[in-house]
Amino acid sequence: MPIDESRTFLPVRIAVLTVSDTRGLAEDRSGDTLVARLTEAGHVLADRRIEKDDVETIVSRLHAWIGDPDVDCIITTGGTGVTGRDVTPEAIEQVAEKMIPGFGELFRMLSYQTIGTSTVQSRACACVSHGTYIFALPGSTGAVKDGWDGILRDQLDSRHRPCNFVELMPRLLER
């Protein structure tokens, strides 16, 4: 889909959360990939953290960023699989006001082109909570690339046509 160069680019303030029991910042390649892509696109890294695979810990971090006026969007990486420790979607469900089911569906469609039927093991998801977008991607660098390059790069670009998530931001809190 086209980028309308006649429109003004509006940078989004994005917080990045890596969910992992085993990684620190030095080993967080998927987080590094995401940060590089969002800053290269002209967005602002609002914050970056690594949290353990624990629902309450993830929910607490999400609430902190949802309540922060300097965060427009949260992108998580990790914890979206089907093992017992994968709890990112459960944490997101606890903070979600509106789910965005098409995000996970489109992510799996794009991922299928890369990893085939293994994509069914991903529970990538998205929602809106108190005016903040939350997108959950799997923890591999390939998944981050699929999610950013195939969906988020365009949907978080205010110039993308025919529509994008950025132009909806002023209306997310409407009742």
Side-chain angles (χ1 to χ4, degrees):
M1 292 281 118
I3 296 293
D4 183 348
E5 298 291 345
S6 71
R7 297 182 59 93
T8 302
F9 176 80
L10 302 172
V12 177
R13 297 167 299 190
I14 302 172
V16 173
L17 174 62
T18 298
V19 177
S20 176
D21 285 334
T22 59
R23 282 186 257 172
L25 279 176
E27 303 83 25
D28 185 19
R29 291 193 340 244
S30 59
D32 291 342
T33 298
L34 187 54
V35 168
R37 277 172 157 65
L38 73 88
T39 55
E40 286 167 10
H43 299 294
V44 176
L45 178 63
D47 199 0
R48 179 179 179 184
R49 303 288 174 102
I50 296 179
E51 300 288 359
K52 300 289 183 200
D53 292 278
D54 175 74
V55 172
E56 290 78 24
T57 302
I58 298 166
V59 167
S60 178
R61 169 57 44 213
L62 294 175
H63 277 306
W65 282 338
I66 291 164
D68 185 339
D70 292 328
V71 175
D72 301 313
C73 175
I74 301 164
I75 304 174
T76 73
T77 175
T80 62
V82 297
T83 72
R85 296 293 300 156
D86 292 319
V87 296
T88 302
E90 287 77 12
I92 287 174
E93 287 172 6
Q94 288 191 27
V95 302
E97 290 180 313
K98 290 186 178 187
M99 296 303 294
I100 308 172
F103 177 81
E105 295 161 0
L106 180 55
F107 173 82
R108 283 180 285 280
M109 184 197 79
L110 294 169
S111 179
Y112 178 78
Q113 298 169 15
T114 306
I115 63 169
T117 60
S118 295
T119 193
V120 300
Q121 295 179 27
S122 166
R123 298 184 302 140
C125 60
C127 74
V128 177
S129 181
H130 301 284
T132 301
Y133 288 113
I134 304 173
F135 303 99
L137 297 170
S140 72
T141 55
V144 167
K145 290 174 185 176
D146 287 346
W148 181 265
D149 298 348
I151 306 170
L152 294 174
R153 178 184 57 213
D154 289 339
Q155 281 299 298
L156 293 177
D157 190 325
S158 55
R159 303 166 300 168
H160 184 262
R161 293 284 151 253
C163 56
N164 60 74
F165 283 130
V166 179
E167 65 193 3
L168 299 176
M169 285 178 167
R171 299 177 47 212
L172 291 177
L173 295 174
E174 288 178 346
R175 297 282 178 231

